[in-house]
Structures are given as C-alpha cells and as structure tokens.
Amino acid sequence: MSQPATANAPPRAITARWLVPLDRPPLAHGVLWVRGGRIVGIEPRRASQPVEDLGEVAIVPGLINAHTHLELSLHAQPIGPPGISFSQWLTQAIAWRRQWLDAADAKAAAMRRQAALQAGLEELASSGTAALGEIAYPGFPEELYRACPRAGRLFLELLGVQAAQVPQQMALARQHLARWTARGRPLGGGLSPHAPYSVHPELLQQAVALAAEADVPVAMHLAESPEEIELLASGRGPLAEVLQTRGVSCAEYLPAAVRPLDYLETLSRAPQALVIHGTYLGPKEIAFLADHRQRMTVVYCPRTHAHFGHAPYPLASLLAAGVRVAVGTDSRATNPDLNLWRELVHIAQHHPEVPPETILTMGTRRGAEALGLADELGSLAPGKRAVWTAVPLARGVPDLWEALFAGGLPQSPSPPDMATP
C-alpha cells in the first residue's frame, strides 16, 4: 500500500487503458495526477512519460451507493422468493428483525447488529464503493461508523404513526444531528422519516423542518409498491392489513385519498431529498421532481426492484423529464449483494435505451449530488478528492462503454490514504 502523500511530495501520475473523468470526455491512456489526496491534473499521456499504469482497466469516479441498510447484511439471500409481494416481504422482515435484531437477549442482538454492520461495510469497501447513503436504526453501533473511511451520509430512521411518538422521535433526531454533523468527518448526518405508512404526518413535517434548519438531507421510501399506492388512495389493501395485525389503524394518521405527490411537496422543503425507489410515481410526481431537480433525487435500486417483480421501472420517463436519478443497493434483505457495479450492469442490460455514460453518472455524480458531496466526489476533476474505482475491461472489445459494462467487477476504490480527507 502506498504511503500517505503530503502537499510537498511530487505528484503521482496514474494511467490505465481508459480514464473516464465524467467532467470531460474519456481519455484513452489518460493520466490522473494526484498529490496530497487531491487530483491536481488530468491530461493525455505523453510519450515516455513515467507513470503508474493500472493496465486494462477504466479509471472511473468512486462509486456512490446512495441507499443502503447495512444492519440487514446478515441475510445470505433476499427475504422470500422472487416476485414476493411487498406486504408479504414486510411481514417476514418484521418477524426477522424481532427475532434477530430486537431480541430479548439484548447482548446477543447487539452483537448481531455489530456483525451485520461490519460485514456490510467490508462488502462495500471491497466492491468499489467510495461513499454511501446509509439508513441507521436508532441504537446503531456508532464506533463502526466512526471508523469507516467511506464518505457519505448517516440517515437516522424515524418511525412513529402516533402523534404522541413525535416528540421522542424528534429528540432522537436532534441528538443524531448534533453527533454527526461535525466538520471533517467522512460521514455526515441526515434524517430518514421511513415511509408514508410508518410515519405520522406531523413527524414528517418536523423532520423536514429540522433538516432545513441543520442543512442536512432527508431520505424517504416512497411509491415503492402498488400496495402503498392503494393504501394512500383508499386506506385499504394488503399493506393496511399488515399494519392492522400490528395494532395500527391507518385512519388515525393517514389523510384520506392522498398520493405520493403530497409527500413530495413536503420533502421538497428539505435542502436535499432522496426519494427512495419511486417505482410507482405518476406523471404529476415525475413533473414535480423534474421541476425540483436541484433539491430532489430519485434513488433506483435495480435488483431490489427485480426481486419484487414490480412493473417496469420508469427510468426512461424519469430521465427524459430531467429528474435526477441516483443508484443504491438497498439491503441484503432484498438484494443478493451490495455491489453497486452489479446494479449499473443490471441497468445496462435491462434499460438499453439509457446511454452508458448516463448509467455511470447515476452511479457516481448523481449520488454525490444527492448526498451533498459533489464538491468532493462524483467525478474526477482538479481540486476534488483522489477517489476512483478501477473497473476491469472486457478484453478484445474496442468500444469503451461496451468493454466497461461487459468486463469484470471492481475490487476496491483508490487506496485508503487517497480516500480519506
């Protein structure tokens, strides 16, 4: 491993078969100049120039996994068979959490949560992820996140459908932001009012107001399933039945005949809002997101979407309207692994109408914008942090983009001394 660079050390010159900065056109055998953990130049390679050659790979910006639930990383495979309905999955997920993460044996449960988080962080680090948008349940093991060299946001999950729960949840939110918004930390704070069916409207309103006051992003699961849309429209359906088995009456907190647009209007008041999944957004919601593209991002989790067998994802419609779309892996409860590159390959295979450069941008720059990291990450440009991912190229394929998405898997982002501020 290379030693930490200093501001006075000579710059390193790094090249590969392709350099893909995203802020400018790709360069065959381009050179990335790095010093003190920062990019200081990008240029074509000159003849006989001494460089560190990474070989038959493409150097791309460090991948940004905009949505994860790492404490679910103990699942060896997703919950339920392919095509499981969301309400069935939710029932099984709640039962699993009660048994393993919220068990009566508090010490054993804490050890499982720590092991899951450690496994998830290691998987991200080994698969080219440079930054993450992590959803953390209250009581998470802080020490592991504090030791994490990855950049990103640590969103505290807020849950509560009763008005009486709002003060306690907001107290947790304030404590979280006080602990996770200090400058100089790789992971910053954020808030995640979970979903329309699990959050009282007053809790959502106050969480967004607090996020605006603290200048942090919010993330909310929205328009994730047809059951959710039915619940919002009528207060009935399979998801309502799941909630009723837990003693929750939707009529007590869900306004009558609402739609995702009503929640988007509230979320738009946050400095940045991540709309997680967004599978069943309608034309009015898409138009609203396009009008608020500087503050709102839809996070597409492709293989999670595939696990549920949802209707085709409206990716082309979102992009055509100008909506900002990032990519996440969700969790191992819905996904076979946490490898973001596999998500991008999945998009390339199932959305051939989307240009490959757009797909790479979704997995890098768009995630950085959503998490408030675009000044530091998301593209390779002078002044930004020297954080890249080397992706093996398919041999014998002359076209960059075809070789990129038909090649191998990235092993890790740039060395830790490059990845930390």
Side-chain angles (χ1 to χ4, degrees):
M1 182 180 298
S2 57
Q3 296 300 311
T6 67
N8 296 324
R12 296 172 61 199
I14 302 162
T15 191
R17 176 67 183 85
W18 283 99
L19 175 61
V20 188
L22 286 185
D23 277 354
R24 63 181 73 185
L27 288 172
H29 302 291
V31 177
L32 187 71
W33 289 93
V34 174
R35 178 167 55 198
R38 296 278 168 178
I39 298 170
V40 296
I42 292 175
E43 64 181 17
R45 184 177 180 180
R46 299 189 299 272
S48 71
Q49 183 181 42
V51 294
E52 299 175 36
D53 194 340
L54 303 185
E56 288 297 309
V57 302
I59 298 174
V60 305
L63 303 179
I64 312 292
N65 190 334
H67 179 64
T68 63
H69 294 269
L70 294 184
E71 75 169 8
L72 300 178
S73 298
L74 291 183
H75 288 280
Q77 59 188 15
I79 292 175
I84 187 173
S85 73
F86 181 74
S87 55
Q88 292 173 325
W89 178 90
L90 184 62
T91 298
Q92 294 184 36
I94 291 171
W96 182 89
R97 173 178 282 281
R98 284 179 171 174
Q99 180 180 357
W100 292 99
L101 299 185
D102 299 331
D105 186 340
K107 183 177 180 180
M111 290 178 64
R112 291 189 194 106
R113 295 181 77 179
Q114 185 157 341
L117 178 54
Q118 184 67 53
L121 289 170
E122 289 175 357
E123 185 173 3
L124 291 183
S126 67
S127 59
T129 297
L132 67 154
E134 163 71 340
I135 309 296
Y137 197 74
F140 58 85
E142 290 193 11
E143 64 278 5
L144 290 180
Y145 286 117
R146 293 195 185 280
C148 172
R150 310 269 86 74
R153 292 284 179 176
L154 192 58
F155 294 92
L156 181 69
E157 188 166 73
L158 304 175
L159 293 161
V161 297
Q162 298 175 354
Q165 295 174 292
V166 174
Q168 182 259 355
Q169 288 291 297
M170 289 306 300
L172 289 175
R174 293 186 186 92
Q175 292 168 13
H176 176 74
L177 295 186
R179 297 169 74 89
W180 290 92
T181 54
R183 292 184 177 274
R185 280 192 187 138
L187 286 174
L191 299 176
S192 181
H194 175 255
Y197 56 84
S198 56
V199 169
H200 192 281
E202 183 60 25
L203 178 56
L204 174 60
Q205 297 278 354
Q206 291 193 28
V208 169
L210 178 59
E213 178 185 331
D215 193 25
V216 299
V218 297
M220 187 177 198
H221 301 78
L222 187 65
E224 184 174 1
S225 69
E227 294 102 318
E228 178 191 324
I229 301 301
E230 181 181 6
L231 177 71
L232 295 180
S234 67
R236 297 189 295 272
L239 190 53
E241 294 171 6
V242 171
L243 295 171
Q244 287 167 6
T245 63
R246 304 193 70 207
V248 175
S249 172
C250 304
E252 295 179 5
Y253 68 97
L254 275 179
V258 291
R259 57 182 299 168
L261 181 61
D262 298 292
Y263 291 87
L264 293 178
E265 290 173 346
T266 300
L267 292 170
S268 69
R269 297 196 286 271
Q272 288 290 336
L274 285 72
V275 178
I276 310 302
H277 302 301
T279 304
Y280 293 93
L281 295 167
K284 289 185 178 180
E285 284 87 3
I286 291 174
F288 184 89
L289 287 162
D291 289 342
H292 295 79
R293 64 175 63 89
Q294 298 304 316
R295 296 165 69 96
M296 305 189 79
T297 304
V298 173
V299 182
Y300 176 27
C301 301
R303 290 183 296 157
T304 289
H305 177 272
H307 178 64
F308 288 108
H310 287 310
Y313 194 79
L315 182 59
S317 297
L318 291 165
L319 295 173
V323 176
R324 188 165 66 190
V325 182
V327 182
T329 59
D330 204 2
S331 77
R332 276 186 164 269
T334 61
N335 201 325
D337 58 59
L338 303 178
N339 192 311
L340 192 78
W341 189 256
R342 286 195 170 111
E343 304 294 333
L344 302 187
V345 170
H346 182 98
I347 296 173
Q349 292 172 342
H350 292 82
H351 297 273
E353 74 282 2
V354 179
E357 186 171 359
T358 299
I359 296 173
L360 181 60
T361 300
M362 288 164 53
T364 53
R365 183 191 296 157
R366 297 296 176 246
E369 291 167 348
L371 298 174
L373 303 173
D375 290 344
E376 296 281 301
L377 300 171
S379 64
L380 302 176
K384 288 194 173 185
R385 289 169 54 187
V387 180
W388 70 84
T389 299
V391 183
L393 297 168
R395 294 190 177 276
V397 180
D399 178 75
L400 161 63
W401 298 109
E402 183 180 352
L404 185 65
F405 286 108
L409 296 174
Q411 298 302 308
S412 62
S414 48
D417 62 292
M418 295 294 176
T420 52

